[in-house]
């Protein structure tokens, strides 16, 4: 099962409608006038013949090996307007990206590496902490690259693999000198009956304290933590997709910051195959004890529950009950930085 991470940030304004709340609470949602909204957004009213003469269209296609799409732009002559400066809802200010690259990586050391799933779980998940000595500044929601030792089947050094950071910017030790990962050991049997081990996941899970690890990054802005301390943040993850949200939640409930105090609602949905695969459960329980009105945690256990569907499927069906087109609504939320997804 691929690790999936999705976050929905709900504005604090009481006038804003939230499909995230609809889909997960099954609340009533006031349907907007879709036809009027579409006309305003894409057409801006009817066009007469003279307007039509001023139109032009531009089409661009993306190579098929990535995704095929067509973008069209239609404009009319209009008075010059003041450019609107977009203010990001994410904690982007001062974010560092790609400080360390494959040719100039950072060499950290393993401080801790421990298995966090039960012995009878279908697969192993490990939590590991690496030293950075404060030289790898990152934000909650970013990722780092790891380059495993050794060479590939072609005799070349292994390429880096990306992993979501599973700690807050302060790190598990609270001194901004460490970075943590949550890694599932990949082992499977192929069609020829051969046991195949994932190169980087096994390298990481086998590391011992004191050993070196080659790190690149940090990278990514898609999953940066929402800047609004009063927002409702709905987090959906499967397996090790929990990593960025652990960083969020530590900052919200375990740390003190002079410029940040979380007063919103954090609602986490974590999907795992079995109860023995649940990770960080004790941490979530402590958070609920500290701030019972600010956090909710729900688990979806796929092999023990018979009514589970995929994230997109269930939200689509629940949205339809309220007369909402989920794909269109999701597009609007993504545009306003309220819907963010990463899949590795």
């Amino acid at each position: 099962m691929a690790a999936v991470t999705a976050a929905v940030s709900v504005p604090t304004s009481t006038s804003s409608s939230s499909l995230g709340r609809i889909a997960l609470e099954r609340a009533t949602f006031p349907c907007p006038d879709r036809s009027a909204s579409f006309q305003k957004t894409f057409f801006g009213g009817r066009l007469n013949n003279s307007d039509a003469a001023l139109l032009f269209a531009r089409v661009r296609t993306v190579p098929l090996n990535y995704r095929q799409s067509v973008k069209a732009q239609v404009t009319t002559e209009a008075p010059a307007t003041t450019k609107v400066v977009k203010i990001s809802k994410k904690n982007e200010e001062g974010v560092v990206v790609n400080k360390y690259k494959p040719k100039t990586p950072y060499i950290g050391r393993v401080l801790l590496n421990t298995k966090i799933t039960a012995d009878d779980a279908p697969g192993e998940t490990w939590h590991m902490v690496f030293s950075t000595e404060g030289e790898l500044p990152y934000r909650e929601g970013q990722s780092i690259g790891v380059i495993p030792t050794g060479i590939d089947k072609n005799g070349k050094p292994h390429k880096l693999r990306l992993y979501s950071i599973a700690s807050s910017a302060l790190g598990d030790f609270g001194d901004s000198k460490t970075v943590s990962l949550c890694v599932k050991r990949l082992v499977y049997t192929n069609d020829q009956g051969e046991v195949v081990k994932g190169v980087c996941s096994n390298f990481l899970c086998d590391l011992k304290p004191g050993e070196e690890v080659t790190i690149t990054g940090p990278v990514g802005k898609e999953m940066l933590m929402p800047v609004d301390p009063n927002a409702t943040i709905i987090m959906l993850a499967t397996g090790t997709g929990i990593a960025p949200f652990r960083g969020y939640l530590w900052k919200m409930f375990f740390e003190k910051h002079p410029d940040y105090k979380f007063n919103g609602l954090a609602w986490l949905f974590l999907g795992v195959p079995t109860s023995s695969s649940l990770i960080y459960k004790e941490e979530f329980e402590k958070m609920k004890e500290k701030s019972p009105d600010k956090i909710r945690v729900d688990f979806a256990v796929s092999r023990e529950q018979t009514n589970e569907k995929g994230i997109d499927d269930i939200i689509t069906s629940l949205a339809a009950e309220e007369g909402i087109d989920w794909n269109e609504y999701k597009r609007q939320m993504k545009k306003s930085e309220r819907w963010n997804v990463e899949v590795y």
Side-chain angles (χ1 to χ4, degrees):
M1 177 170 59
V4 178
T5 300
V8 183
S9 176
V10 181
T12 56
S13 169
T14 55
S15 63
S16 297
S17 300
S18 164
L19 181 58
R21 187 173 296 278
I22 291 168
L24 304 175
E25 291 185 347
R26 303 174 71 90
T28 302
F29 184 85
C31 266
D33 183 342
R34 290 181 182 72
S35 60
S37 175
F38 182 86
Q39 185 177 18
K40 180 178 180 182
T41 303
F42 293 94
F43 296 111
R46 293 181 177 275
L47 300 175
N48 56 37
N49 290 335
S50 60
D51 290 326
L54 298 173
L55 297 181
F56 73 91
R58 182 172 58 207
V59 177
R60 183 182 67 182
T61 59
V62 177
L64 286 173
N65 61 356
Y66 175 63
R67 175 187 295 177
Q68 186 173 26
S69 64
V70 177
K71 295 184 178 180
Q73 177 177 327
V74 181
T75 62
T76 61
E77 289 186 352
T81 58
T82 303
K83 184 177 180 180
V84 177
V85 178
K86 182 179 178 181
I87 300 177
S88 176
K89 293 181 174 64
K90 303 176 188 177
N91 186 21
E92 290 189 356
E93 185 176 354
V95 171
V96 175
V97 176
N98 289 323
K99 180 179 180 181
Y100 295 99
K101 300 180 180 180
K103 292 185 178 180
T104 55
Y106 178 81
I107 306 300
R109 288 191 178 276
V110 181
L111 300 178
L112 173 72
N113 197 6
T114 183
K115 185 163 70 76
I116 56 175
T117 45
D119 291 339
D120 61 341
E124 300 178 0
T125 298
W126 291 68
H127 180 83
M128 54 203 69
V129 182
F130 306 143
S131 68
T132 66
E133 300 303 325
E135 296 298 321
L136 186 75
Y138 61 87
R139 294 283 178 83
E140 297 84 4
Q142 286 192 287
S143 301
I144 58 172
V146 174
I147 303 176
T149 57
I151 57 176
D152 63 20
K153 62 182 179 181
N154 297 316
K156 296 182 178 181
H158 289 297
K159 296 184 182 299
L160 69 85
R161 273 73 161 178
L162 287 177
Y163 290 89
S164 294
I165 295 171
S167 51
S168 72
L170 293 184
D172 286 2
F173 299 164
D175 58 4
S176 300
K177 294 183 178 180
T178 65
V179 63
S180 301
L181 296 182
C182 172
V183 178
K184 182 174 182 179
R185 185 191 295 274
L186 176 62
V187 180
Y188 67 94
T189 303
N190 64 17
D191 294 339
Q192 288 73 42
E194 302 168 327
V195 175
V196 180
K197 295 183 177 182
V199 173
C200 199
S201 67
N202 281 272
F203 164 74
L204 287 170
C205 293
D206 288 338
L207 284 172
K208 302 294 188 295
E211 292 185 326
E212 293 184 345
V213 58
T214 303
I215 300 172
T216 66
V219 298
K221 294 184 178 181
E222 176 68 17
M223 297 302 295
L224 288 175
M225 189 172 180
V227 70
D228 183 0
N230 302 307
T232 295
I233 302 175
I234 301 172
M235 298 162 282
L236 305 98
T238 60
T240 56
I242 190 63
F245 301 143
R246 180 178 184 266
Y248 290 13
L249 294 168
W250 268 58
K251 182 174 182 177
M252 291 174 182
F253 300 109
F254 285 163
E255 300 172 355
K256 292 184 179 180
H257 297 265
D259 58 349
Y260 181 84
K261 179 176 174 58
F262 184 66
N263 292 308
L265 173 64
W267 194 351
L268 171 66
F269 291 81
L270 175 59
V272 293
T274 65
S275 297
S276 57
S277 303
L278 287 172
I279 52 180
Y280 305 121
K281 185 178 180 181
E282 294 80 7
E283 294 182 3
F284 303 146
E285 293 299 330
K286 290 180 181 179
M287 294 172 188
K288 289 195 288 185
E289 289 176 8
K290 289 171 62 73
S291 305
D293 297 331
K294 296 180 182 178
I295 182 172
R296 286 190 60 177
V297 179
D298 289 285
F299 300 116
V301 185
S302 61
R303 298 184 189 178
E304 298 171 16
Q305 297 171 329
T306 59
N307 61 341
E308 189 183 80
K309 294 183 179 179
I311 292 173
D312 236 26
D313 290 339
I314 191 64
I315 297 181
T316 297
S317 59
L318 291 172
E321 293 178 10
E322 303 292 338
I324 303 295
D325 181 338
W326 169 238
N327 287 331
E328 173 59 21
Y329 197 92
K330 181 169 60 175
R331 188 183 70 81
Q332 293 294 338
M333 286 206 297
K334 188 167 183 62
K335 185 177 180 181
S336 62
E337 295 186 333
R338 293 172 55 207
W339 176 262
N340 303 278
V341 178
E342 276 188 345
V343 179
Y344 287 150

